[in-house]
């Protein structure tokens, strides 16, 4: 591996005890890189709903664990077997670390889903250290280069939220000119789903139950925006009114609300597909949606590297940006968590880990 001059210590925000705030303190900089590892200097780290699950102990995370599984930054060191990255590359790091490479999930060719590999080295920010740190060790085989016109503040949230909702759209099989609904359209995943689906030429119905979420749904360009607080029957009527009285071909559910999955199925036309992306304790769907209307439900988690690259190409080609609430440095992580729990978040909450990288990329983009 390359051995640049690096500090021995770095600042990180870690889960030390479950149901307690992050502890911001100094820990060693990762020093031993495996052959396919990259060491990146983190520019931006993003907060995800799953981070609260980690903090609560729901993910059975070994402690201590550095938080955040959504990160972007610059390569500062590479493992001995890495050939397609160089020091200085701007990258978006995938959540997966060291998949086995031999199971059916890893070897499925274009349809491979290594994120479902049962024999991995872990998941960054969930079962091993993540991006709420100045440096992070990541797997080059799960990492994508960030296009020059895509900022770190957009790339970091795309590492999980973006690829998750993008894969949901792909799995829905909705084509250009057809209708898709997104339940929870004004949240971190939802607003990205609206933007990505619109860029793919799909008509979007955004459904949300927060004033902030409805406002963001409209801002992101949804064809139709519906307030879920009017009740299930009225929401279904509103959806059918703009879809030839059928309902949408597919719906993405990105809301953890107890009634969200049932609503997502109800607005989907008979024999249609509901893709469940949210992770509540239980997914509750009335039997008559599954049986009498033949709604097909499938779950999905993040994406493979090819899908991540396709998403970044779409983002770069259409000038898509992520709506973010930005906080400067780990000293403000408590404020970020408080905002996330308040229900007032508009888009994705991110921590600027390295302002110098942000300024550098601004200079690069201004020269394009």
């Amino acid at each position: 591996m390359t051995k640049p001059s690096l500090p021995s210590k770095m600042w990180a925000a870690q889960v030390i005890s479950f149901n307690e705030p992050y502890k911001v303190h100094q820990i060693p900089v990762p020093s031993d890189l495996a052959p396919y590892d990259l060491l990146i200097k983190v520019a931006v780290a993003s907060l995800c709903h799953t981070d609260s699950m980690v903090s609560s102990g729901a993910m059975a995370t070994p402690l201590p664990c550095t938080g955040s599984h959504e990160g972007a930054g610059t390569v500062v060191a590479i493992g001995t077997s890495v050939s397609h990255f160089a020091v200085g590359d701007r990258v978006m790091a995938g959540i997966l670390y060291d998949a086995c490479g031999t199971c059916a999930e890893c070897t499925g060719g274009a349809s491979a889903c290594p994120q479902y590999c049962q024999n991995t080295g872990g998941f960054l920010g969930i079962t091993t250290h993540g991006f709420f740190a100045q440096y992070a060790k990541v797997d080059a085989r799960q990492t994508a280069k960030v296009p020059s016109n895509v900022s770190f503040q957009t790339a970091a949230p795309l590492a999980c939220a973006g690829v998750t909702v993008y894969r949901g759209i792909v799995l829905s099989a909705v084509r250009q000119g057809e209708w898709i609904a997104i339940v929870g359209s004004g949240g971190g995943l939802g607003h990205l789903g609206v933007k990505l689906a619109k860029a793919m030429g799909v008509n979007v119905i955004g459904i949300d139950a927060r004033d902030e979420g409805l406002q963001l749904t409209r801002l992101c360009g949804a064809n139709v925006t519906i307030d879920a607080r009017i009740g299930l029957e009225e929401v279904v009527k509103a959806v059918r009114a703009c879809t030839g009285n059928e309902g949408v071909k597919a719906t993405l559910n990105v809301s953890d609300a107890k009634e969200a999955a049932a609503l997502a199925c109800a607005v989907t036309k008979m024999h249609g597909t509901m893709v469940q992306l949210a992770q509540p304790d239980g997914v509750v769907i009335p039997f008559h949606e599954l049986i009498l209307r033949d709604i097909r439900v499938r779950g999905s988690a993040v994406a493979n590297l090819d899908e991540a690259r396709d998403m970044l190409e779409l983002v770069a080609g259409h000038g898509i940006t992520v709506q973010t609430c930005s906080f400067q440095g780990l000293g403000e992580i408590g404020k970020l968590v408080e905002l996330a729990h308040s229900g007032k978040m508009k888009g994705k909450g991110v921590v600027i880990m390295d302002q110098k990288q942000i300024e550098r990329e601004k200079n690069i983009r201004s020269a394009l």
Side-chain angles (χ1 to χ4, degrees):
M1 71 176 228
T2 60
K3 295 184 177 181
S5 176
L6 295 171
S8 60
K9 296 283 188 177
M10 65 179 181
W11 289 99
Q14 292 192 312
V15 179
I16 300 296
S17 299
F18 295 131
N19 298 307
E20 295 291 338
Y22 287 109
K23 181 178 180 180
V24 179
H25 62 152
Q26 286 194 310
I27 64 173
V29 173
S31 57
D32 295 325
L33 298 190
Y36 289 100
D37 284 351
L38 299 173
L39 185 67
I40 67 169
K41 195 171 194 303
V42 182
V44 176
S46 179
L47 185 74
C48 178
H49 171 71
T50 307
D51 291 307
S52 66
M53 299 170 69
V54 170
S55 295
S56 72
M59 306 301 287
T61 301
L63 300 183
C65 183
T66 304
S68 178
H69 55 273
E70 297 178 329
T74 302
V75 176
V76 295
I78 61 176
T80 55
S81 295
V82 176
S83 59
H84 53 291
F85 288 99
V87 171
D89 284 344
R90 300 168 66 249
V91 297
M92 179 189 80
I95 186 174
L96 180 63
Y97 182 77
D98 195 24
C100 73
T102 58
C103 70
E105 303 294 349
C106 291
T107 59
S111 61
C113 298
Q115 67 268 34
Y116 293 107
C117 174
Q118 298 299 299
N119 186 26
T120 74
F123 297 90
L124 304 182
I126 298 177
T127 61
T128 189
H129 298 304
F131 300 102
F132 282 152
Q134 290 176 290
Y135 295 89
K137 183 171 67 173
V138 306
D139 190 333
R141 295 162 296 185
Q142 305 298 329
T143 300
K145 293 180 182 179
V146 176
S148 58
N149 66 331
V150 176
S151 72
F152 285 128
Q153 282 184 259
T154 284
L158 294 177
C160 176
V163 297
T164 296
V165 77
Y166 174 78
R167 186 168 192 263
I169 298 169
V170 172
L171 292 178
S172 77
V174 175
R175 306 302 180 196
Q176 186 172 355
E178 295 179 330
W179 286 91
I180 194 170
I182 301 176
V183 176
S185 57
L189 271 74
H191 91 282
L192 288 173
V194 174
K195 289 190 173 188
L196 292 168
K198 290 293 295 180
M200 296 164 76
V202 175
N203 295 320
V204 178
I205 297 175
I207 303 170
D208 208 284
R210 299 179 304 124
D211 292 339
E212 295 85 358
L214 293 166
Q215 181 183 20
L216 184 54
T217 299
R218 296 186 189 98
L219 182 65
C220 292
N223 298 79
V224 178
T225 301
I226 301 174
D227 189 338
R229 291 171 293 192
I230 64 177
L232 185 146
E233 290 186 5
E234 293 302 316
V235 172
V236 171
K237 287 180 183 178
V239 170
R240 290 184 176 177
C242 55
T243 58
N245 203 36
E246 283 191 327
V248 294
K249 180 177 180 179
T251 301
L252 308 184
N253 181 31
V254 296
S255 170
D256 285 329
K258 182 179 179 180
E259 306 83 3
L263 175 62
C265 290
V267 300
T268 306
K269 72 179 183 178
M270 190 173 289
H271 313 300
T273 300
M274 192 278 272
V275 183
Q276 177 74 20
L277 302 176
Q279 300 173 351
D281 291 336
V283 178
V284 181
I285 302 170
F287 80 90
H288 57 80
E289 301 290 356
L290 294 174
I291 298 172
L292 303 184
R293 298 187 60 244
D294 186 28
I295 300 300
R296 291 89 187 274
V297 179
R298 72 175 297 174
S300 181
V302 287
N304 63 39
L305 182 58
D306 286 340
E307 289 165 334
R309 288 169 172 161
D310 290 344
M311 177 206 64
L312 282 171
E313 184 177 344
L314 182 72
V315 167
H318 288 265
I320 294 172
T321 58
V322 178
Q323 176 79 17
T324 60
C325 297
S326 300
F327 293 81
Q328 285 290 335
L330 292 177
E332 294 196 326
I333 196 164
K335 296 179 182 179
L336 168 57
V337 173
E338 182 180 359
L339 177 63
H341 290 168
S342 73
K344 301 295 184 181
M345 182 85 80
K346 291 184 178 180
K348 290 285 289 182
V350 303
V351 176
I352 306 298
M353 297 296 303
D354 185 3
Q355 184 62 35
K356 290 183 179 179
Q357 290 189 66
I358 303 300
E359 296 300 326
R360 192 179 305 125
E361 72 172 4
K362 286 180 181 177
N363 293 334
I364 292 172
R365 292 203 306 275
S366 64
L368 293 178

